[in-house]
């Protein structure tokens, strides 16, 4: 186990999302057993797992993870608050509150929150107002359960039509400023910054003091320039692949060094590619090596 001052690793089953959320080809118990063989301390769950749809099962999976020596520190949720229809937003708020309940039952400290989809008909100020109001309502509920909501610089949920409304850095920072207070922080994903057309280090420095968790993901392009993919409006870009950590476009030694400089010692959840456990195992090993190297060395203030 790493020391308390060193980030701890969790894993997210990016390779098995359809199996866990749609077909049921993989059960959550199987994923927990597979992940327990990795050099990690925790698991990040997704609210859409089929096996979590009954609240009576939530504590069962917490105990199952704990029996493998693992925590569930983070719950990944994808609320869509930029819907113009008030009734639709109310349903999303209710769903997010249920996710907060789920996080508490799982023993998680953090529950992800998003702004919603970047619908063409929703302009900047309207989207900011809708998202900020909904997040504020959910934040007050999260505070009552001692759960921290984490706003991610997101690309898009696997099952959304449009990318994240708050994907651009300026919109993200404005939304963060409108809702930032107790039990609210940032889940930083460096490869998502690339999709926004920004340098990951620029993103990380822009949210200095707010990052409490991180998604470790890396990406590479199978075809086409990055500019074409960042301009895509609908669907999930098939040319853009979640790849093995350390072999894509993200400079992880630099990112981790900046996190150390900022005093970060939270959870890093490995959001790996689609090639299964062998690739995930290599990604975890790479991050463990890099974390050890960075946190055992001096802080570079240059």
């Amino acid at each position: 186990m790493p020391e308390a001052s060193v980030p701890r690793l969790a894993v997210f089953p990016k390779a098995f999302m359809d199996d866990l959320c749609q077909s049921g080809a993989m059960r959550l118990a199987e994923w927990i057993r597979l992940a327990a063989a990795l050099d990690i301390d925790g698991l990040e769950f997704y609210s859409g797992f089929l096996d979590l749809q009954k609240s009576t099962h939530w504590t069962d999976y917490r105990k199952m993870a704990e029996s493998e020596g693992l925590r569930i520190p983070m719950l990944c949720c994808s609320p869509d608050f930029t819907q113009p229809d008030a009734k639709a937003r109310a349903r999303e708020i209710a769903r997010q509150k249920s996710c907060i309940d789920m996080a508490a039952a799982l023993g998680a400290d953090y529950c992800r929150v998003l702004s919603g989809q970047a619908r063409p008909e929703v302009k900047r100020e309207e989207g900011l107002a809708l998202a900020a109001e909904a997040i504020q309502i959910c934040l007050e509920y999260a505070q009552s359960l001692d759960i921290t909501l984490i706003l991610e610089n997101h690309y898009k949920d696997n099952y959304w039509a449009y990318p994240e409304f708050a994907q651009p850095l300026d919109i993200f920072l404005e939304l963060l400023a409108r809702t930032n207070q107790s039990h609210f922080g940032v889940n930083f994903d460096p490869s998502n910054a690339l999709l926004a057309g920004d340098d990951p280090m620029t993103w990380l420095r822009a949210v200095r003091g707010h990052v409490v968790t991180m998604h470790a993901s890396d990406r590479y392009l199978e075809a086409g320039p990055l500019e074409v993919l960042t301009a895509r409006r609908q669907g999930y870009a098939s040319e853009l692949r979640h790849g093995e950590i350390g072999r894509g476009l993200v400079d992880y030694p630099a990112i981790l060094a900046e996190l150390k400089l900022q005093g970060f010692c939270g959870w890093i959840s490995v959001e790996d590619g689609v090639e299964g456990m062998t690739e995930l195992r290599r990604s975890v090993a790479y991050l463990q090596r890099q974390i050890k190297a960075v946190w055992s060395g001096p802080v570079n203030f240059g």
Side-chain angles (χ1 to χ4, degrees):
M1 292 283 183
E3 296 176 3
S5 59
V6 176
R8 289 176 288 176
L9 288 187
V11 290
F12 184 82
K14 188 69 178 178
F16 307 111
M17 286 296 284
D18 286 348
D19 292 343
L20 288 164
C21 299
Q22 293 191 323
S23 69
M26 176 180 282
R27 311 312 302 186
L28 188 48
E30 181 183 355
W31 163 242
I32 292 172
R33 287 194 297 271
L34 283 172
L38 301 170
D39 182 18
I40 57 171
D41 292 283
L43 302 169
E44 181 183 8
F45 277 13
Y46 179 67
S47 63
F49 289 163
L50 294 174
D51 287 328
L52 295 181
Q53 298 317 296
K54 291 184 178 180
S55 60
T56 52
H57 294 168
W58 295 344
T59 55
D60 294 338
Y61 288 104
R62 174 181 179 172
K63 293 174 182 177
M64 196 177 298
E66 289 173 346
S67 71
E68 298 285 356
L70 299 171
R71 280 200 57 202
I72 305 170
M74 303 162 62
L75 179 65
C76 185
C77 309
S78 299
D80 186 3
F81 294 140
T82 55
Q83 302 189 59
D85 181 71
K87 290 183 178 179
R89 288 198 309 281
R91 288 193 294 270
E92 289 297 303
I93 290 170
R95 189 163 69 92
Q96 182 68 15
K97 286 182 176 180
S98 178
C99 289
I100 294 167
D101 289 334
M102 184 189 298
L106 292 171
D109 298 312
Y110 304 99
C111 181
R112 189 176 77 170
V113 69
L114 301 174
S115 59
Q117 298 186 59
R119 295 173 172 81
E121 70 273 17
V122 177
K123 304 308 177 187
R124 177 190 173 107
E125 185 53 40
E126 180 186 8
L128 279 167
L130 294 177
E133 179 184 34
I135 290 173
Q136 182 62 39
I137 293 170
C138 295
L139 181 56
E140 291 170 2
Y141 187 73
Q143 289 169 337
S144 71
L145 295 176
D146 198 24
I147 298 293
T148 296
L149 293 188
I150 45 177
L151 181 67
E152 182 179 340
N153 62 314
H154 198 226
Y155 166 47
K156 69 185 294 292
D157 185 83
N158 281 42
Y159 309 112
W160 279 6
Y162 297 102
E164 170 74 20
F165 172 80
Q167 185 184 46
L169 178 56
D170 61 327
I171 296 178
F172 185 91
L173 292 176
E174 176 65 22
L175 182 58
L176 181 63
R178 293 191 186 196
T179 51
N180 182 35
Q181 56 176 286
S182 171
H183 289 79
F184 190 70
V186 170
N187 180 63
F188 173 65
D189 188 318
S191 75
N192 284 343
L194 290 170
L195 288 175
D198 294 311
D199 173 46
M201 196 69 77
T202 299
W203 261 95
L204 184 53
R205 288 171 176 160
V207 294
R208 176 186 288 269
H210 299 293
V211 179
V212 293
T213 59
M214 176 177 157
H215 271 167
S217 67
D218 217 339
R219 283 187 165 93
Y220 65 93
L221 303 178
E222 287 197 326
L226 185 62
E227 292 77 11
V228 173
L229 299 182
T230 57
R232 177 174 291 198
R233 293 291 300 172
Q234 282 191 280
Y236 203 100
S238 60
E239 304 94 336
L240 184 72
R241 304 281 288 185
H242 271 272
E244 184 176 330
I245 309 298
R247 300 188 67 178
L249 300 171
V250 178
D251 184 351
Y252 268 94
I255 292 292
L256 292 170
E258 176 64 22
L259 283 171
K260 181 185 178 183
L261 186 62
Q262 293 186 16
F264 176 85
C265 59
W267 285 91
I268 297 176
S269 179
V270 184
E271 195 178 37
D272 197 67
V274 295
E275 303 304 323
M277 293 301 295
T278 299
E279 184 180 79
L280 181 56
R281 187 172 293 105
R282 290 198 299 263
S283 292
V284 167
Y286 171 82
L287 283 167
Q288 292 286 25
R289 290 195 302 272
Q290 294 300 325
I291 289 170
K292 181 178 180 180
V294 170
W295 263 262
S296 63
V299 177
N300 183 1
F301 290 97

